[in-house]
Amino acid sequence: MYSNDMTFEEVLKGAEAILQGGGDASGVLLDVCRLLEDRVPHYDWVGFYIADPKEKILQLGPYVGAPTDHVRIPFGRGICGQAADMKRTFIVQDVTKEGNYLSCSSSVRSEIVLPIMDGMSVIGELDIDSHSISPFTEGDRELLERICSLCAPLVRSLRDGSRRPGVQV
Ligand code: SME
């Protein structure tokens, strides 16, 4: 159970409703970020990165939270880059224990990064920072992996279209 009496299932249903509502890909993905940041207390920064597999770069897409310097991250660098290389969800429950980490803010204590796949290719990522230590459970992984699958077509359309700058609220 999350605050505002929203369960994982309700957060998932909220994301499904946003995705079914249509609209431009950036706006819809931004609304998904807003929902997650708003409804899950331990999600303090929520954003999408769009992958350029040829250049092996992650480009910041729609996000909610503090501005970040990390708008272009090479595969392999930081938690985001490692998740892109490994093609699997990467959970760091305490960022001070992770050597290959790109810090955005001293308030961030933990992070979860999920690759968004198109077949065997990484087309983007969902990145969530938390101000809590060890907040992430298997429930977070399950919820967010399902949301990533639902968002994959929109991430693919952003990757295939013009490169868009990050959208901050
Ligand atoms: N901490 C990330 C960089 C991106 S920000 O969290 C927005 C990393 O280590 O890859």
Side-chain angles (χ1 to χ4, degrees):
M1 185 74 76
Y2 288 129
S3 72
N4 304 325
D5 293 323
M6 271 195 124
T7 62
F8 270 74
E9 280 305 316
E10 286 167 334
V11 175
L12 184 61
K13 284 206 180 88
E16 286 169 348
I18 290 167
L19 290 156
Q20 281 160 10
D24 76 285
S26 279
V28 172
L29 292 175
L30 181 59
D31 283 344
V32 171
C33 293
R34 285 190 177 122
L35 172 84
L36 292 171
E37 194 272 341
D38 196 40
R39 295 300 183 177
V40 184
H42 55 286
Y43 296 174
D44 294 299
W45 189 100
V46 180
F48 287 93
Y49 281 89
I50 311 302
D52 180 335
K54 278 196 195 135
E55 286 193 45
K56 294 207 170 265
I57 288 282
L58 297 158
Q59 173 82 39
L60 183 61
Y63 72 97
V64 174
T68 174
D69 290 340
H70 304 299
V71 295
R72 279 171 67 82
I73 301 176
F75 280 27
R77 286 212 58 210
I79 297 169
C80 292
Q82 291 181 80
D85 264 352
M86 293 187 298
K87 300 183 177 180
R88 68 164 177 80
T89 299
F90 197 160
I91 297 175
V92 176
Q93 300 282 18
D94 179 351
V95 294
T96 65
K97 304 222 160 66
E98 172 57 48
N100 188 359
Y101 168 62
L102 301 171
S103 173
C104 288
S105 142
S106 57
S107 307
V108 175
R109 312 299 292 278
S110 56
E111 181 162 351
I112 181 169
V113 179
L114 303 99
I116 298 171
M117 306 297 295
D118 182 13
M120 292 301 291
S121 296
V122 177
I123 56 172
E125 289 185 342
L126 177 60
D127 178 16
I128 298 180
D129 290 344
S130 176
H131 296 170
S132 307
I133 288 192
S134 299
F136 300 116
T137 65
E138 280 307 303
D140 291 283
R141 179 202 294 272
E142 190 187 327
L143 169 71
L144 297 172
E145 287 182 350
R146 287 170 74 179
I147 287 178
C148 283
S149 298
L150 293 171
C151 290
L154 294 179
V155 170
R156 189 167 50 231
S157 79
L158 280 191
R159 185 207 54 182
D160 293 344
S162 58
R163 295 281 170 264
R164 288 162 195 260
V167 181
Q168 188 216 344
V169 294

